[in-house]
C-alpha cells in the first residue's frame, strides 16, 4: 500500500502508545509491553534509540526534540535523553503509571497513575516532583489542551482541571457512556473532548457548562460488525484529533481506524482493516501523517495470544479524507 508503510524494528510485544513529537513531524516514540520505548525517524524509517525498562511501559511523551518521558508498570517516572540514550529517574508513583502529558507552556510533565494521583514534575529541578493531587479513582487516561487537563478514571469518572489551579477540579463529570472508559482525546480547538468505551461507543463532549454548549454533545456506536446476524462489539482503544482540521480518528480492537467529523456527525473515511487490533494512534504535529500501532490486545486471552500476529507500527500519509466537507480554513 503506497499510502502507508511499516516501521522497521517494531517492538516484540504489544504496543501501548505511539506519540509524535510536538515540533518535529518525523519523530515518533513507541512504548510497549516488551519493556521498551523506541525512538524513530519515520522518514528514514529508522530506529534511532531504544530505552529498556524493568517492566511493561504504558505511557510516553516528548517535551521537545531532544527529551522524552516514560512510565509504566515499574512505577518509575523517567526522562529519556533521545540523542545520548541517557535515562534520568525523576521519581516514583506507588502503582503503575497509566498516562502522561507534557505542558510546554508550563515546562511541566503531568503523570497519572493507578495509585489514584496525578503528579506534576519539573524535570530540571533538584527534586522534580512539584505536586501530587489525590483523585477518587484509578487514572486510566489523560489529555491536555492549552491549560485544560481532562482525567478519565475508573468508575466512569472524569475530572476537568485548569492546570494553573490544581487545588480542585473545575468540573467533575460522569461518563456519558455506560461502560469503562478506554480512550480520551481533547479537541485541537480546545472546545471539548471525545471519549471511547470498551463497548464500541464514542461520546463527544464540550467543556462549556452552558446549556447551549451542552446541547451539542452526543454519542454514537462504532467499531461494531454484524456477522451471521450476531452483533460483534469491540472496544474503542484510541482517539486522536487532527491538529489542523479538528476532525478525529478512532481505533478499535476490530482492527479498523476511522475518521470522523463531529460537527456534521459523519464518518469521513474508514481505512482498510489491519490484521490485528489497533491499541494506539497519533497524528503528527503538521497533520500529514498518522501513526497506527497494531498488536494483540488480549480480548481472546491466552488462546488468542497463540495465534496473534506480531506487533507492527504503520505510518500512514494523510490526505483530504481528514478534511471536513466544505473546509475553507479556520
Amino acid at each position: 500500500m503506497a499510502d502507508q508503510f511499516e516501521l522497521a524494528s517494531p517492538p516484540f510485544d504489544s504496543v501501548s502508545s505511539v506519540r509524535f513529537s510536538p515540533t518535529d513531524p518525523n519523530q515518533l516514540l513507541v512504548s510497549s509491553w516488551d519493556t521498551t520505548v523506541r525512538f524513530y525517524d519515520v522518514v528514514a524509517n529508522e530506529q534511532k534509540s531504544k530505552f529498556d525498562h524493568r517492566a511493561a511501559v504504558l505511557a510516553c511523551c516528548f517535551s521537545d526534540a531532544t527529551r522524552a518521558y516514560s512510565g509504566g508498570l515499574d512505577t518509575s517516572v523517567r526522562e529519556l535523553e533521545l540523542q545520548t540514550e541517557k535515562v534520568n529517574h525523576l521519581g516514583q508513583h506507588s502503582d503503575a503509571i497509566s498516562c502522561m502529558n507534557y505542558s510546554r507552556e508550563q515546562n511541566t510533565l503531568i503523570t497519572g497513575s493507578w495509585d489514584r494521583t496525578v503528579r506534576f514534575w519539573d524535570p530540571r529541578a533538584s527534586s522534580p516532583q512539584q505536586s501530587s493531587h489525590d483523585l477518587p479513582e484509578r487514572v486510566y487516561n489523560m489529555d491536555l489542551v492549552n491549560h485544560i487537563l481532562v482525567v478519565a478514571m475508573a468508575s466512569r469518572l472524569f475530572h476537568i482541571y485548569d492546570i494553573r489551579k490544581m487545588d480542585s477540579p473545575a468540573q467533575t463529570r460522569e461518563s456519558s457512556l455506560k461502560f469503562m472508559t478506554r480512550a480520551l482525546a481533547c479537541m485541537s480547538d480546545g472546545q471539548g473532548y471525545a471519549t471511547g468505551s470498551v463497548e464500541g461507543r464514542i461520546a463527544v463532549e464540550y467543556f462549556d457548562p452552558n446549556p447551549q454548549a451542552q446541547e451539542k454533545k452526543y454519542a454514537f456506536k462504532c467499531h461494531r460488525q454484524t456477522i451471521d446476524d450476531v452483533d460483534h462489539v469491540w472496544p474503542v482503544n484510541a482517539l486522536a484529533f487532527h491538529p489542523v482540521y479538528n476532525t478525529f480518528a478512532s481505533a478499535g480492537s476490530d482492527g479498523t481506524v476511522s475518521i470522523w467529523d463531529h460537527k456534521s456527525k459523519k464518518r469521513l473515511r474508514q481505512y482498510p482493516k489491519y490484521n490485528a487490533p489497533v491499541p494506539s494512534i497519533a497524528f503528527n504535529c503538521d497533520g500529514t501523517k498518522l501513526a497506527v500501532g497494531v498488536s494483540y490486545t488480549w480480548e481472546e486471552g491466552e488462546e488468542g495470544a497463540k495465534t496473534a500476529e506480531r506487533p507492527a507500527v504503520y505510518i500512514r500519509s494523510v490526505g483530504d479524507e481528514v478534511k471536513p466537507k466544505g473546509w475553507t480554513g479556520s
Side-chain angles (χ1 to χ4, degrees):
M1 294 164 76
D3 51 1
Q4 71 173 7
F5 63 89
E6 190 178 338
L7 276 187
S9 343
F12 298 119
D13 201 345
S14 297
V15 173
S16 54
S17 182
V18 294
R19 301 289 280 269
F20 273 107
S21 159
T23 52
D24 184 327
N26 302 318
Q27 290 186 339
L28 179 74
L29 292 173
V30 178
S31 62
S32 167
W33 285 81
D34 75 357
T35 76
T36 67
V37 172
R38 294 159 194 264
F39 172 55
Y40 298 91
D41 176 331
V42 299
V43 168
N45 192 0
E46 187 182 346
Q47 180 182 293
K48 292 291 197 189
S49 49
K50 175 164 85 85
F51 299 87
D52 291 307
H53 297 61
R54 292 196 306 276
V57 187
L58 302 186
C60 60
C61 68
F62 284 89
S63 62
D64 55 36
T66 61
R67 281 189 166 75
Y69 302 93
S70 65
L73 295 186
D74 69 10
T75 73
S76 171
V77 181
R78 290 174 174 80
E79 180 179 60
L80 315 175
E81 296 188 16
L82 298 171
Q83 269 62 44
T84 61
E85 293 199 334
K86 185 169 179 278
V87 176
N88 306 314
H89 288 264
L90 300 184
Q92 209 111 17
H93 274 270
S94 53
D95 203 339
I97 297 162
S98 54
C99 44
M100 53 176 52
N101 299 91
Y102 191 85
S103 166
R104 290 168 69 209
E105 287 82 17
Q106 310 256 346
N107 288 318
T108 298
L109 175 70
I110 306 169
T111 57
S113 166
W114 299 347
D115 69 7
R116 305 181 182 212
T117 67
V118 166
R119 302 188 192 200
F120 282 54
W121 311 82
D122 178 351
R124 298 156 308 176
S126 53
S127 48
Q129 186 175 307
Q130 302 295 295
S131 61
S132 177
H133 308 279
D134 292 327
L135 289 154
E137 264 294 2
R138 298 181 301 285
V139 177
Y140 286 163
N141 308 89
M142 288 192 312
D143 201 15
L144 179 67
V145 61
N146 307 325
H147 293 292
I148 302 173
L149 178 72
V150 182
V151 182
M153 291 169 271
S155 304
R156 300 172 39 256
L157 296 176
F158 283 79
H159 280 189
I160 301 168
Y161 291 94
D162 179 334
I163 59 170
R164 297 163 298 187
K165 209 164 105 265
M166 286 295 297
D167 48 344
S168 66
Q171 297 182 46
T172 58
R173 296 184 180 183
E174 191 174 272
S175 174
S176 304
L177 306 174
K178 287 200 206 67
F179 290 84
M180 182 175 123
T181 307
R182 174 61 70 82
L184 166 69
C186 288
M187 294 177 189
S188 305
D189 65 3
Q191 298 294 304
Y193 58 96
T195 69
S197 79
V198 293
E199 187 252 350
R201 276 177 209 265
I202 291 171
V204 176
E205 308 271 352
Y206 292 87
F207 293 132
D208 184 345
N210 282 334
Q212 293 92 329
Q214 288 304 309
E215 269 172 20
K216 292 192 294 187
K217 75 175 189 178
Y218 72 105
F220 60 96
K221 296 177 186 176
C222 51
H223 297 283
R224 293 164 177 240
Q225 203 182 342
T226 304
I227 307 167
D228 300 331
D229 294 332
V230 178
D231 284 340
H232 292 251
V233 181
W234 282 276
V236 179
N237 293 324
L239 299 164
F241 278 87
H242 191 276
V244 179
Y245 303 121
N246 201 41
T247 49
F248 70 93
S250 69
S253 288
D254 60 344
T256 66
V257 175
S258 289
I259 305 290
W260 309 89
D261 178 358
H262 58 277
K263 293 262 173 25
S264 68
K265 302 188 179 178
K266 283 189 167 59
R267 177 158 66 191
L268 300 176
R269 173 68 67 90
Q270 181 171 314
Y271 293 123
K273 193 170 180 230
Y274 293 92
N275 60 4
V278 182
S280 187
I281 49 173
F283 285 108
N284 66 350
C285 59
D286 65 6
T288 57
K289 294 183 175 72
L290 179 70
V292 182
V294 180
S295 61
Y296 184 52
T297 45
W298 291 87
E299 271 87 19
E300 315 293 327
E302 288 285 353
E303 268 313 295
K306 291 174 189 164
T307 55
E309 299 281 339
R310 63 175 181 78
V313 178
Y314 292 92
I315 305 297
R316 175 173 277 285
S317 295
V318 171
D320 283 346
E321 73 275 10
V322 296
K323 273 190 195 174
K325 299 276 184 285
W327 173 265
T328 52
S330 54

